[in-house]
Amino acid sequence: MRYYIFRNNTLEPLFGNLDARYSGYGDISSLEEGADRYIWFYQVPFGFDRCRVAEEVLSYIDKLRWVIEKIPAHKSVLVFSLVDLCPFQWVGSEWEVQESIETYNKYLRSLASERCNVRYMDLPDFTRRYSSSQLFRSEERRVGKSVVVGVW
């Protein structure tokens, strides 16, 4: 196995062409030491309780910090930024989810600056390169490979 992908949702359509194994949803208990490289691709959870969503997003920082400490420095890690794909904002409500996403993404960029084995991928920049049919059509599973090969 070449890649191990930490995720909290289904990602197989994006990375189906890689020699990869996937974590359980939100599971960081297994590191899969046989992997050559790692991918961290968490997504903002959907929920109407925006405070709870914001707390969940911030909890990803501690999870990633724990995982990074376990990965040997000679193995690469690709981390994807977070984007709220299903934004839900009550009129007049606070912006805690957006603020937690900004905090999380800032942490990822800082991590990539501090550690030479960590690479940061901005999800919006990545997805703008491809049409939605290229991203999600099952017979077009080159996208995951192209981003991984392009970064490493």
Side-chain angles (χ1 to χ4, degrees), residues 84-142:
D84 195 355
L85 299 174
C86 300
F88 180 81
Q89 189 69 32
W90 293 104
V91 175
S93 66
E94 300 297 320
W95 294 92
E96 57 267 317
V97 172
Q98 186 58 38
E99 290 168 358
S100 67
I101 291 170
E102 290 169 7
T103 299
Y104 175 83
N105 289 337
K106 183 178 179 180
Y107 171 73
L108 294 184
R109 290 188 299 273
S110 172
L111 186 65
S113 295
E114 295 167 8
R115 295 184 178 249
C116 61
N117 68 323
V118 177
R119 304 285 186 270
Y120 172 81
M121 174 61 68
D122 184 67
L123 185 58
D125 287 347
F126 166 66
T127 57
R128 275 193 286 274
R129 299 178 194 173
Y130 306 96
S131 68
S132 59
S133 65
Q134 286 177 299
L135 288 170
F136 299 107
R137 216 172 44 204
S138 62
E139 63 272 8
E140 277 281 350
R141 294 189 179 210
R142 295 187 307 247

Side-chain angles (χ1 to χ4, degrees), residues 11 23 29 32-33 41 44-45 48 54 61 63 74-75 79-80 83 90 97 100 117 121 123 131:
L11 295 174
S23 71
S29 64
E32 293 292 331
E33 294 176 7
F41 197 134
V44 177
F48 292 108
I61 293 172
K63 287 181 177 186
H74 69 277
K75 293 192 177 186
V79 295
F80 280 86
V83 175
W90 293 104
V97 172
S100 67
N117 68 323
M121 174 61 68
L123 185 58
S131 68

Side-chain angles (χ1 to χ4, degrees), residues 53-69:
V53 171
E55 289 172 4
E56 179 74 17
V57 166
L58 291 175
S59 77
Y60 299 163
I61 293 172
D62 290 332
K63 287 181 177 186
L64 178 57
R65 187 176 289 132
W66 187 87
V67 166
I68 290 293
E69 291 301 320

Side-chain angles (χ1 to χ4, degrees), residues 2 7 12 20 22 37 40 42-43 47 49-50 53 68 71 73 84 94 109 142 144 150-151:
R2 186 136 191 215
R7 46 72 184 270
E12 288 82 353
Y22 298 83
R37 296 177 173 154
W40 179 271
Y42 270 57
Q43 299 169 343
D49 183 342
R50 301 309 276 170
V53 171
I68 290 293
I71 294 174
D84 195 355
E94 300 297 320
R109 290 188 299 273
R142 295 187 307 247
V151 171

